[in-house]
Amino acid sequence: MSHEHDDHHEAPSFALEIPEFEYLRYEVDEGIAWVTFTRPKALNALAADVLREIAEVSEVIAEDPEVRVAVFTGEGKAFVAGADIGEISELKEVFVAREYSLGGQEVMNHIAALPLPTIAAINGYALGGGLELALACDLRVASNKAKLGLPEVGLGLIPGFGGTQRLPRLIGAGRAYDLILTARHVPAEEALQLGLLNRVADDVIAAARKLAQQIAKNSPVALALAKESLARGVDVPLPEALEIEADLFGMACTTKDMREGTSAFLEKRAPEFKGE
Ligand code: CAA
């Protein structure tokens, strides 16, 4: 055990351990965490090892005190072209395949449950498990060349990483039946009309950065509480959902960020949120 820092009188700092990733890159710039999938030769397909790294990077994001917003994107012509079809082709036993689906869902659930806003910056194909990953994010921005879809029925499969459930919750059942039963690839402009995307841009990275910066100006605690209220309210009846909102509104009013935000407004100055 080294004591090389004993002579210094620095404040003890919390050292975040970032694992070595093989299939993705993790960078933090001005409070924005960028997760870039780096397996373009396989169109960033989600092999088991990639899914494991996504679960790991989600933990890093959740623990990194510098991060206010996380953006997921891909290198090359795909965001993510789905789960790895080679691996899926080996699935035969119902229980093994069920576990495979549950495992993928868990990774998507990790992303959905992150206590900070997440953006999918869809640079190209977002198909199958790739669209399911984007659906687990809070917001979706796409390049105008992107194609989105759940093509699983064309492979004799069904979406298994949350697609049959998150898609209808986002865009409505009628539109979800259309996309899932036709297996078609939807161009970005149409996906925007369907409510599947929040923005379409020539430069998806610039658009995602702008959106992330707009979000990051706000109170991190309020962002986490707003996200929690939105997420928890979806699956419960309205009266119960409104109770959830009131509980979380109550919590927001106990925070330093709320004191700061309201004081700053009344004092006609910009707020300085500490996330407390
Ligand atoms: N799994 C494994 N490998 C994939 C892949 C995937 N999902 N998608 C693409 N690849 C591989 C290709 O096999 C090819 O590899 P080789 O160079 O070794 O041959 C490489 O990536 C490049 O792909 P293409 O040559 O096919 O590129 P293209 O430009 O001609 O076509 C595409 C692009 C239309 C996206 C096409 O690759 C495609 O249809 N991919 C599969 C999309 C798909 O069906 N996704 C759903 C997967 S199932 C799923 O996700 C289940 C779930 O819900 C959990």
Side-chain angles (χ1 to χ4, degrees):
M1 178 104 193
S2 153
H3 295 278
E4 62 192 62
H5 294 300
D6 283 359
D7 295 340
H8 301 286
H9 297 283
E10 291 164 3
S13 67
F14 162 74
L16 182 71
E17 240 181 79
I18 300 177
E20 291 271 318
F21 295 114
E22 197 176 337
Y23 304 107
L24 59 84
R25 197 165 57 241
Y26 178 76
E27 295 154 308
V28 181
D29 179 28
E30 295 182 342
I32 304 169
W34 293 87
V35 176
T36 308
F37 303 114
T38 55
R39 200 186 166 218
K41 279 192 185 138
L43 304 191
N44 299 321
L46 301 175
D49 288 344
V50 184
L51 285 166
R52 200 169 306 119
E53 290 197 354
I54 297 172
E56 283 173 12
V57 83
S58 301
E59 281 177 29
V60 171
I61 292 168
E63 285 171 20
D64 194 332
E66 281 184 36
V67 177
R68 299 268 171 126
V69 181
V71 183
F72 293 84
T73 193
E75 253 178 22
K77 67 178 173 185
F79 171 70
V80 171
D84 190 298
I85 298 172
E87 287 183 1
I88 290 184
S89 72
E90 301 294 321
L91 298 172
K92 293 183 184 81
E93 296 289 331
V94 65
F95 296 113
V96 177
R98 185 174 184 278
E99 283 304 315
Y100 174 86
S101 171
L102 288 173
Q105 288 176 0
E106 196 182 322
V107 175
M108 304 309 153
N109 290 344
H110 268 302
I111 294 173
L114 281 170
L116 47 82
T118 50
I119 300 171
I122 302 170
N123 51 297
Y125 291 109
L127 300 172
L131 181 55
E132 291 169 307
L133 197 158
L135 288 168
C137 293
D138 301 325
L139 294 157
R140 282 152 296 281
V141 180
S143 144
N144 48 22
K145 296 193 185 68
K147 295 264 172 60
L148 296 82
L150 292 176
E152 283 89 342
V153 295
L155 297 164
L157 289 167
I158 71 167
F161 292 173
T164 62
Q165 305 309 313
R166 287 202 171 93
L167 187 64
R169 280 167 171 76
L170 180 69
I171 65 172
R175 292 164 163 187
Y177 276 85
D178 172 352
L179 264 57
I180 292 170
L181 301 186
T182 62
R184 68 195 174 92
H185 295 182
V186 179
E189 277 303 334
E190 185 190 346
L192 182 68
Q193 301 304 321
L194 290 172
L196 183 47
L197 294 173
N198 298 93
R199 310 264 193 289
V200 173
D202 288 341
D203 183 342
V204 67
I205 297 300
R209 183 178 291 111
K210 189 172 162 202
L211 186 58
Q213 285 168 341
Q214 273 179 329
I215 293 170
K217 283 191 308 208
N218 301 306
S219 150
V221 188
L223 287 169
L225 293 172
K227 176 169 168 166
E228 187 180 339
S229 191
L230 281 154
R232 283 175 54 197
V234 165
D235 296 321
V236 297
L238 185 62
E240 207 179 309
L242 291 171
E243 289 280 339
I244 291 171
E245 183 184 81
D247 288 346
L248 294 168
F249 181 89
M251 283 174 70
C253 290
T254 67
T255 66
K256 286 187 185 162
D257 274 8
M258 180 273 194
R259 301 264 86 78
E260 168 62 12
T262 52
S263 310
F265 176 82
L266 295 172
E267 292 160 17
K268 302 193 190 304
R269 61 175 175 84
E272 274 182 49
F273 293 119
K274 301 241 161 51
E276 293 168 6

